[in-house]
C-alpha cells in the first residue's frame, strides 16, 4: 500500500500532531472582522427575498465573494447564522488545506522519517488568523492550492476547482484564464470552452443584475491606479512577520526558475502565480496584514519543498556524490529541513515596538488584534433600532448595520456599497480602502440622517448616545426628524439628553425637523 510508510509512527504521528495543533490554534484565534458583515447583510437580504442587495431596492455589488455570500445565505435555511457558519467553514477548509498537502507530501516522499511540508504549513501564524475572520480567505486558499496540484498533474478537474475559486474571489479568474490558455496550447478545447462559457454566464448575471461587469469593490479599492510603493511595504510586512521566510522565497524561486526553463508544460501554471504576485504589488496589497499573500503562501512553500526533495533524491545518486553541492547538502540536509520549518514557525509582530503595539505600519494593520472575538458575539445589539433611518457608516461599523437594520446605509469610507462614491477620484493615496474624502454633498444627496462616526470634526454636530455592551457610543445627527427620533430616544439603550439640551439652549422646537448638516461651498 503506497500510501502507508515504513516509518509509520514518526511520519504520521508528527503530521497528525501538527495538524491537530494547527486546528487548535485556528479555533483559539477564531474571530470575525468588520468587512465580513457586509457579506452577511447581502446573505440575509438574499435569503429573505429582498434580492442580492445591501440596501433594499438598490442593486450594488458591494461584496468580493459571490459564492461565499450565496453559501452563507443558504445557512439561514439550516438555522445557521453567518457568525457561526463562516467561522467554522473557514476552519474546515484550513484543515482540508493541511490534509491536501499531507497527502502530496506522503505520496512524494516515501520512506522519509518525518514530514516537513505539513509541519511547515501547520506553524504559520497567519493561517490561523485567516482560517476564520468571517471572510472567504480560507476557502479561496484551499481552492487555489488544490487547483495548482490538479493543474500540475494535468487533471481536467482543475477547471471545476478554479471556476469555483473565480466565483469565490475575482482573482480566481486570473488562474482560470491561464489554465484555459494552457489547455488551448495543447489543443484541448472542450474544457476551457465549457468552463469559460460558465464563467461568462456569471459575468452576464453580474452585468444584467448590477449593470456592471466588475464588482463595485473593484472601483472602491482596486481601480485607484498602480500603488507599487505600498505593495513593496506590504511585501516587507510579510518579511517583518516571518524573518526567515526569505529562505522559502529562495528555494521556491530556484524551483520556479528551473521548472520554467526545463518544463514548457508548466509555464502557464507558474506564470499565473507570478501574475498574482505582481497584481498584489500593483494594487498595494491590503490593509489587513498578509491577507493577500495567504492564498499563495502554500504554493510557494510547496515549490520550496519540491526543491528540497529534489536535492535529497539527487544527493543519493552515486554519480552525484562527488559533486561539492550535493556533498554539502547531504551533510546539512537536517539544517535545510529545520530552516524550512523555522521559516513559518518564527513569527514576529510588526506592530509591536519597544514593548508597545502601534496602530498600523504604513497603513497595514492586524485587525484580529483589534476585534478579538467581539464581533462573534451576537448579543448586546438593539436589533432593528434604526429601521426608519438613513445612516452613514465607516467600514468598522458594518456590524451595526447588520443588527440595527437601517432603512438605508451608506458606506462612506470607500464606497463599497455605493456606485457613485466608489468611483470618486482620490487626491492622495493612503491606507488601502480608506482613501476617499467624504464631502458634505455625499451625505446630502443620499438624505443621510445619522452618522455612526463624526468624520467631519470641523462641524459641531449634535449627537445621541447608543450604549452597546455597556460602551457608550456617539452617533451624530445630520438631519433631525422628530417623528423618527422620538421613538428611538425612548428605547432603553439610547440616550438623547445631549440632543434635547442642545435644542433647549438654542431655543429650537423639538417637534420640528432640523437640518444640522452643511452644503459644500460652490
Amino acid at each position: 500500500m503506497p500510501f502507508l510508510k515504513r516509518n509509520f509512527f514518526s511520519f504520521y504521528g508528527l503530521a497528525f500532531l501538527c495538524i491537530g495543533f494547527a486546528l487548535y490554534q485556528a479555533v483559539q484565534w477564531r474571530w470575525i472582522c468588520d468587512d465580513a458583515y457586509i457579506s452577511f447583510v447581502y446573505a440575509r437580504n438574499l435569503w429573505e427575498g429582498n434580492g442580492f442587495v445591501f440596501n433594499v431596492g438598490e442593486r450594488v455589488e458591494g461584496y468580493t465573494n459571490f459564492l461565499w455570500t450565496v453559501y452563507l445565505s443558504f445557512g439561514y435555511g439550516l438555522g445557521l447564522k453567518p457568525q457561526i457558519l463562516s467561522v467554522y467553514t473557514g476552519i474546515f477548509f484550513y484543515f482540508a488545506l493541511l490534509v491536501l498537502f499531507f497527502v502530496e507530501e506522503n505520496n512524494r516522499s516515501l520512506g522519509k522519517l518525518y514530514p516537513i511540508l505539513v509541519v511547515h504549513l501547520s506553524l504559520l501564524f497567519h493561517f490561523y488568523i485567516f482560517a476564520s475572520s468571517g471572510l472567504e480567505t480560507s476557502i479561496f486558499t484551499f481552492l487555489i492550492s488544490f487547483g495548482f496540484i490538479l493543474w500540475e498533474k494535468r487533471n481536467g478537474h482543475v477547471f471545476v476547482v478554479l471556476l469555483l475559486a473565480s466565483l469565490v474571489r475575482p482573482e480566481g479568474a486570473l488562474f482560470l484564464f491561464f489554465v484555459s490558455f494552457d489547455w488551448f496550447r495543447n489543443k484541448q478545447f472542450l474544457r476551457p470552452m465549457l468552463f469559460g462559457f460558465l464563467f461568462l454566464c456569471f459575468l452576464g448575471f453580474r452585468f444584467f443584475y448590477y449593470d456592471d461587469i466588475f464588482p463595485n469593490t473593484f472601483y472602491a479599492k482596486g481601480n485607484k491606479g498602480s500603488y507599487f510603493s505600498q505593495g513593496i511595504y506590504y511585501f516587507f510586512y510579510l518579511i517583518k512577520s516571518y524573518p526567515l521566510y526569505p529562505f522559502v522565497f529562495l528555494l521556491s524561486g530556484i524551483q520556479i526558475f528551473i521548472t520554467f526553463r526545463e518544463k514548457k508544460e508548466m509555464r502557464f501554471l507558474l506564470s499565473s502565480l507570478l501574475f498574482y504576485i505582481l497584481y498584489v504589488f500593483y494594487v498595494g496589497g491590503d490593509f489587513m496584514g498578509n491577507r493577500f499573500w495567504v492564498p499563495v503562501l502554500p504554493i510557494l512553500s510547496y515549490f520550496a519543498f519540491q526543491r528540497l526533495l529534489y536535492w535529497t533524491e539527487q544527493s543519493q545518486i552515486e554519480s552525484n556524490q562527488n559533486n561539492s553541492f550535493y556533498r554539502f547538502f547531504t551533510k546539512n540536509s537536517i539544517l535545510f529541513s529545520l530552516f524550512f520549518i523555522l521559516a513559518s514557525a518564527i513569527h514576529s509582530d510588526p506592530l509591536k515596538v519597544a514593548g508597545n503595539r502601534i496602530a498600523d505600519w504604513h497603513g497595514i494593520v492586524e485587525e484580529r488584534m483589534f476585534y478579538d472575538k467581539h464581533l462573534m458575539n451576537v448579543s448586546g445589539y438593539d436589533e432593528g433600532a434604526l429601521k426608519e433611518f438613513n445612516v452613514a457608516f465607516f467600514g468598522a461599523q458594518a456590524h451595526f448595520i447588520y443588527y440595527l437594520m437601517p432603512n438605508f446605509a451608506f458606506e462612506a469610507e470607500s464606497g463599497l456599497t455605493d456606485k457613485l462614491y466608489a468611483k470618486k477620484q482620490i487626491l492622495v493615496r493612503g491606507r488601502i480602502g480608506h482613501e476617499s474624502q467624504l464631502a458634505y454633498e455625499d451625505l446630502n444627496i443620499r438624505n443621510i440622517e445619522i452618522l455612526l462616526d463624526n468624520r467631519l470634526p470641523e462641524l459641531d454636530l449634535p449627537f445621541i448616545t447608543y450604549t452597546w455592551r455597556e460602551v457608550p457610543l456617539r452617533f451624530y445627527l445630520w438631519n433631525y426628524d422628530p417623528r423618527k427620533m422620538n421613538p428611538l430616544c425612548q428605547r432603553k439603550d439610547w440616550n438623547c439628553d445631549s440632543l434635547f439640551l442642545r435644542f433647549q439652549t438654542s431655543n429650537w422646537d423639538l417637534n420640528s425637523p432640523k437640518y444640522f448638516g452643511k452644503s459644500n461651498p460652490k
Side-chain angles (χ1 to χ4, degrees):
M1 297 176 65
F3 189 80
L4 295 178
K5 289 183 178 295
R6 181 177 66 251
N7 306 302
F8 183 89
F9 291 104
S10 61
F11 190 94
Y12 291 97
L14 183 57
F16 296 160
L17 180 65
C18 286
I19 291 175
F21 172 78
L23 287 178
Y24 171 79
Q25 291 294 327
V27 172
Q28 288 297 106
W29 287 97
R30 68 192 184 279
W31 68 297
I32 294 177
C33 72
D34 55 81
D35 276 7
Y37 274 89
I38 299 276
S39 294
F40 293 176
V41 173
Y42 275 93
R44 183 176 62 193
N45 279 332
L46 179 61
W47 178 255
E48 292 179 351
N50 296 317
F52 212 164
V53 297
F54 191 79
N55 292 307
V56 177
E58 183 183 59
R59 293 185 178 184
V60 181
E61 189 178 0
Y63 53 85
T64 321
N65 44 24
F66 169 79
L67 195 58
W68 178 248
T69 304
V70 171
Y71 168 74
L72 296 180
S73 177
F74 286 131
Y76 282 96
L78 300 175
L80 295 173
K81 295 293 180 68
Q83 294 87 342
I84 297 297
L85 185 60
S86 66
V87 167
Y88 289 100
T89 299
I91 293 173
F92 169 79
F93 277 101
Y94 174 47
F95 170 71
L97 179 80
L98 295 176
V99 170
L100 173 71
F101 283 107
F102 165 73
V103 171
E104 285 304 303
E105 180 172 15
N106 184 70
N107 290 337
R108 284 176 174 268
S109 55
L110 186 64
K112 287 197 69 174
L113 286 171
Y114 52 84
I116 60 172
L117 178 59
V118 71
V119 174
H120 169 92
L121 295 176
S122 298
L123 297 177
L124 204 141
F125 176 73
H126 279 86
F127 285 175
Y128 309 151
I129 298 299
F130 291 108
S132 55
S133 83
L135 297 173
E136 72 293 336
T137 307
S138 181
I139 185 174
F140 183 67
T141 302
F142 169 77
L143 291 172
I144 293 301
S145 297
F146 191 25
F148 262 74
I149 289 174
L150 292 175
W151 193 348
E152 183 183 39
K153 297 176 179 179
R154 312 302 297 177
N155 188 315
H157 292 113
V158 63
F159 284 93
V160 176
V161 174
L162 292 184
L163 176 65
L164 292 175
S166 303
L167 299 180
V168 169
R169 274 199 70 83
E171 293 90 342
L174 170 71
F175 301 101
L176 183 63
F177 176 83
F178 272 92
V179 75
S180 297
F181 269 91
D182 194 7
W183 254 248
F184 277 135
R185 179 183 61 84
N186 290 305
K187 296 182 172 53
Q188 296 174 286
F189 303 109
L190 181 60
R191 283 191 176 92
M193 291 180 66
L194 172 61
F195 287 92
F197 171 75
L198 292 175
F199 185 70
L200 286 175
C201 289
F202 168 67
L203 294 182
F205 157 78
R206 173 181 283 160
F207 180 78
F208 288 109
Y209 196 84
Y210 294 112
D211 198 28
D212 204 321
I213 199 169
F214 296 109
N216 194 59
T217 49
F218 167 75
Y219 301 106
K221 292 185 177 181
N223 192 35
K224 307 298 184 183
S226 63
Y227 204 2
F228 280 107
S229 60
Q230 182 64 18
I232 292 171
Y233 282 123
Y234 198 65
F235 175 73
F236 278 112
Y237 189 90
L238 175 63
I239 302 302
K240 286 169 71 70
S241 301
Y242 303 95
L244 293 186
Y245 208 81
F247 180 69
V248 175
F249 290 143
L250 175 63
L251 294 178
S252 60
I254 293 172
Q255 180 69 12
I256 289 171
F257 175 77
I258 293 176
T259 304
F260 198 93
R261 187 182 63 183
E262 296 180 354
K263 296 183 178 180
K264 291 183 179 180
E265 68 276 11
M266 294 282 286
R267 288 181 178 177
F268 278 98
L269 180 151
L270 300 174
S271 296
S272 66
L273 176 66
L274 297 176
F275 266 84
Y276 177 88
I277 293 172
L278 180 63
Y279 158 78
V280 175
F281 274 102
Y282 176 83
V283 300
D286 185 45
F287 66 92
M288 290 192 210
N290 297 322
R291 182 168 75 105
F292 276 21
W293 295 126
V294 164
V296 294
L297 290 183
I299 299 301
L300 292 174
S301 295
Y302 179 55
F303 285 143
F305 163 74
Q306 288 181 338
R307 181 49 29 185
L308 288 176
L309 191 62
Y310 176 81
W311 285 340
T312 300
E313 292 170 348
Q314 291 298 309
S315 65
Q316 295 172 358
I317 298 176
E318 186 175 351
S319 60
N320 288 332
Q321 291 175 0
N322 291 326
N323 183 290
S324 58
F325 172 78
Y326 288 119
R327 288 204 308 270
F328 172 79
F329 180 82
T330 300
K331 292 178 180 179
N332 297 279
S333 60
I334 294 179
L335 285 179
F336 275 81
S337 298
L338 180 62
F339 263 88
F340 180 65
I341 291 172
L342 291 178
S344 64
I346 294 180
H347 166 258
S348 64
D349 185 353
L351 303 183
K352 193 171 184 178
V353 179
N356 297 313
R357 298 196 83 255
I358 57 178
D360 69 281
W361 185 76
H362 293 281
I364 306 169
V365 301
E366 290 289 341
E367 290 221 327
R368 169 60 178 79
M369 305 308 177
F370 177 77
Y371 287 111
D372 198 19
K373 297 179 182 178
H374 297 306
L375 299 190
M376 289 187 63
N377 185 355
V378 301
S379 65
Y381 293 91
D382 187 10
E383 296 193 24
L386 297 180
K387 63 182 179 181
E388 300 293 331
F389 293 88
N390 291 0
V391 307
F393 73 102
F394 303 87
Q397 295 143 347
H399 61 109
F400 288 122
I401 303 304
Y402 179 84
Y403 290 104
L404 303 184
M405 304 177 192
N407 173 64
F408 174 85
F410 165 46
E411 200 284 298
E413 195 151 54
S414 60
L416 288 175
T417 62
D418 190 282
K419 289 184 178 181
L420 290 177
Y421 198 70
K423 296 177 182 178
K424 189 176 182 179
Q425 293 299 310
I426 58 175
L427 301 177
V428 180
R429 296 307 305 264
R431 182 180 172 189
I432 299 293
H434 300 74
E435 300 166 286
S436 297
Q437 297 296 315
L438 182 64
Y440 304 148
E441 291 309 311
D442 295 323
L443 302 172
N444 289 331
I445 63 176
R446 294 169 177 83
N447 298 315
I448 296 301
E449 296 164 296
I450 297 177
L451 285 75
L452 300 196
D453 192 11
N454 187 8
R455 300 295 176 91
L456 303 168
E458 71 277 10
L459 299 182
D460 183 23
L461 298 174
F463 63 88
I464 58 177
T465 302
Y466 167 52
T467 301
W468 172 63
R469 297 179 186 169
E470 301 182 355
V471 178
L473 303 174
R474 291 183 176 183
F475 290 174
Y476 296 84
L477 298 189
W478 193 257
N479 274 299
Y480 170 79
D481 184 341
R483 294 180 302 104
K484 300 178 182 179
M485 191 59 62
N486 288 337
L488 180 66
C489 292
Q490 294 173 13
R491 301 175 78 105
K492 69 179 183 67
D493 293 329
W494 300 80
N495 187 316
C496 300
D497 290 347
S498 175
L499 174 66
F500 295 155
L501 181 62
R502 180 80 171 265
F503 269 81
Q504 182 180 356
T505 56
S506 302
N507 293 317
W508 296 329
D509 183 3
L510 271 171
N511 297 314
S512 299
K514 181 72 177 175
Y515 172 63
F516 293 108
K518 190 175 180 181
S519 297
N520 289 100
K522 296 182 179 180

